[in-house]
Every structure is written in C-alpha cells, then in structure tokens.
Amino acid sequence: AGDHRSLRSLADRSLGATGPSPRGGAATPLAAAWGASYLFIERALEELDPVTLIEIRLIIATLVLAVLLVARDGARDARRSIRQLWRPAIVLGLVNAALPFTLIAWGQTHIHSGVAAITVATVPIFVVLLAGLAPVGGLAATVDIRRDRVAR
C-alpha cells in the first residue's frame, strides 16, 4: 500500500491532480535538448565514425561524473568508491551507455536524426508494455497502469 501511495503522490506532483501543472513546461527544454542530441550526433558523424564519436562522448561524461563525485564526496571517498565499484560500473557503462549509444550512432549513418529521436523516444512505452512479462517478486517492479499501482 505504501508503494501505491508514493507512486500516486509522485504522479500528482508531476501532473497535478486534474491535469498538467504549470511546471509541466519544464519538459520542453528537456525534450529539446534530448532531440537536439540526435542532430548533433548526425553532424558529428560527418567527421567521425560512430565508435570514435561515442568514445569521445563517454570520456567527457566520465570526466564530468568524476568531478561531480569528488565535489560531492571528497577525493579520498571518491577514490574509495571507484576502487569498490569499478567492475559493476564498467558492466553498467557498457550495457547502459557504450553499446546502445554506439548502436544508435551507427544507426544514424543509415537514417535521419529525427527518425532516430522518435524511435528512441518510444522506449518508455515498450518498457511499460513489456513490464507485464517480468516476474513479480523479481528484481524489477511490474507496473500495472490500469490499476495505477506497483506490484512487487
């Protein structure tokens, strides 16, 4: 019951109890930045191959995240965290960033950036649709949209 209330509360704060809230406009700059990234990838692919492009992108992201980690935790704790978590971080980075970003960039050598952006934007829809196939009680929560609840 606690999960249901917190999920409902989050939805109410995001959308308002009766519809979109005045803060809903904050999604517009996010959507513009998200969509523009595919345009930038398309332009960068004129000069770089997909693997090199994504290597550069991930190196920059790694440096930014390292700076943020040091700023948040201090240098000593940041080094300790990196030493403890480097293996799972590499697996997560490969599966969640390097591989999909490289495949998207490679795909953009064959299709227009707008098609790529729209295709990637459908991912949350398919996650919700496929979530019903996930075993209840497993690592992932199954979202039941019809009843607006989370079953674990």
Side-chain angles (χ1 to χ4, degrees), residues 93-111:
L94 288 171
V95 172
N96 198 40
L99 182 62
F101 292 167
T102 302
L103 291 174
I104 290 168
W106 173 80
Q108 280 194 245
T109 63
H110 302 284
I111 62 172

Side-chain angles (χ1 to χ4, degrees), residues 66-137:
V67 167
L68 292 173
L69 181 63
V70 170
R72 187 189 73 182
D73 295 347
R76 180 178 297 165
D77 288 340
R79 276 194 298 273
R80 185 177 320 125
S81 294
I82 291 170
R83 276 195 303 268
Q84 289 175 341
L85 300 171
W86 71 271
R87 284 183 183 103
I90 286 178
V91 171
L92 180 64
L94 288 171
V95 172
N96 198 40
L99 182 62
F101 292 167
T102 302
L103 291 174
I104 290 168
W106 173 80
Q108 280 194 245
T109 63
H110 302 284
I111 62 172
H112 189 270
S113 62
V115 175
I118 290 169
T119 303
V120 172
T122 64
V123 169
I125 295 167
F126 286 103
V127 167
V128 170
L129 293 174
L130 295 174
L133 301 176
V136 175

